[in-house]
Each structure stands twice: as C-alpha cells, then as structure tokens.
C-alpha cells in the first residue's frame, strides 16, 4: 500500500503598512530585544520614535531583522559584518532593479 504524505507550507505576507512595537518585532523574529537595539544602533533598522519603548517598526523591518538574526546566529557573523552584508544585499537588489528597468526601456 502506498502512503501519501501531507505537507503544510506556512507563509506570511507582510505589508509595508504593518506596524510593530519592539516587543512584537522580537517575538515575530525570535530575537532578543538587546539584539534589535544593537541593530538600530548600527543603522540596520530605522524605527520611528525616540526611545525603544516607543519604537515603531514597519513590515520591511521584519524581513531585515530575520536576515540579521540568521547572519549573526546561524553564520556567526558579528554585528558590524551583518550590517555590512545587509547593506551590500540592498545595493545588489537596487542594481538588479535598475538593470531590469534598463532592459525594458
């Protein structure tokens, strides 16, 4: 007899308009608040608000925080290295978009 396997795929679509507090972002990413504070200090994340208690993060911060956590925890990249890697990935994405736009024109 052939057994069939059921696979479940979970995904989450995060709109730019979504807003999260520091605690909500940490919970969604599995990150400690101290790490997120350091990411803000290094310019990796740019929340609205003056103090951590009042910080508001948009949807793009969720993906960026997850990428940073993966670099730091899984690949053991230090915080400045993770910040640099994320900036370089952003630049690559922008250049790819420019190339695609130029190719259409």
């Amino acid at each position: 007899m052939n057994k069939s396997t059921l696979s479940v795929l979970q995904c989450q679509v995060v709109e730019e308009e979504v807003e999260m507090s520091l605690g909500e972002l940490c919970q969604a990413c599995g990150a400690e608040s101290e790490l997120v504070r350091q990411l803000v200090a290094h310019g990796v994340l740019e929340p609205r608000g003056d103090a951590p208690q009042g910080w508001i993060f948009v949807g793009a911060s969720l993906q960026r925080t997850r990428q940073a956590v993966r670099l730091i925890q899984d690949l053991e990249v230090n915080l400045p290295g993770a910040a640099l890697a994320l900036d370089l990935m952003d630049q690559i994405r922008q250049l790819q978009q420019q190339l695609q736009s130029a190719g259409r024109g």
Side-chain angles (χ1 to χ4, degrees):
M1 217 183 224
N2 219 357
K3 293 183 182 180
S4 61
T5 304
L6 175 65
S7 297
V8 177
L9 175 64
Q10 283 186 320
C11 68
Q12 183 177 9
V13 176
V14 179
E15 300 288 333
E16 184 65 28
E17 294 82 28
V18 170
E19 295 183 343
M20 295 168 273
S21 67
L22 174 61
E24 291 168 334
L25 179 67
C26 290
Q27 184 177 8
C29 295
E32 298 290 327
S33 64
E34 182 56 33
L35 174 58
V36 174
R37 291 171 197 241
Q38 291 176 5
L39 292 172
V40 171
H42 279 81
V44 174
L45 300 174
E46 297 178 0
R48 290 193 319 254
D50 297 328
Q53 307 89 309
W55 282 346
I56 299 295
F57 297 89
V58 295
S61 297
L62 180 62
Q63 178 183 357
R64 196 157 174 84
T65 304
R66 285 182 174 162
Q67 289 174 326
V69 167
R70 208 168 39 245
L71 287 167
I72 293 165
Q73 292 178 354
D74 297 347
L75 300 178
E76 298 180 5
V77 175
N78 65 16
L79 191 58
L84 176 62
L86 290 167
D87 285 343
L88 291 173
M89 286 189 281
D90 286 345
Q91 288 179 21
I92 290 168
R93 234 178 270 116
Q94 290 173 354
L95 290 170
Q96 288 173 333
Q97 288 173 351
Q98 288 175 1
L99 285 172
Q100 288 175 351
S101 295
R104 291 182 200 145

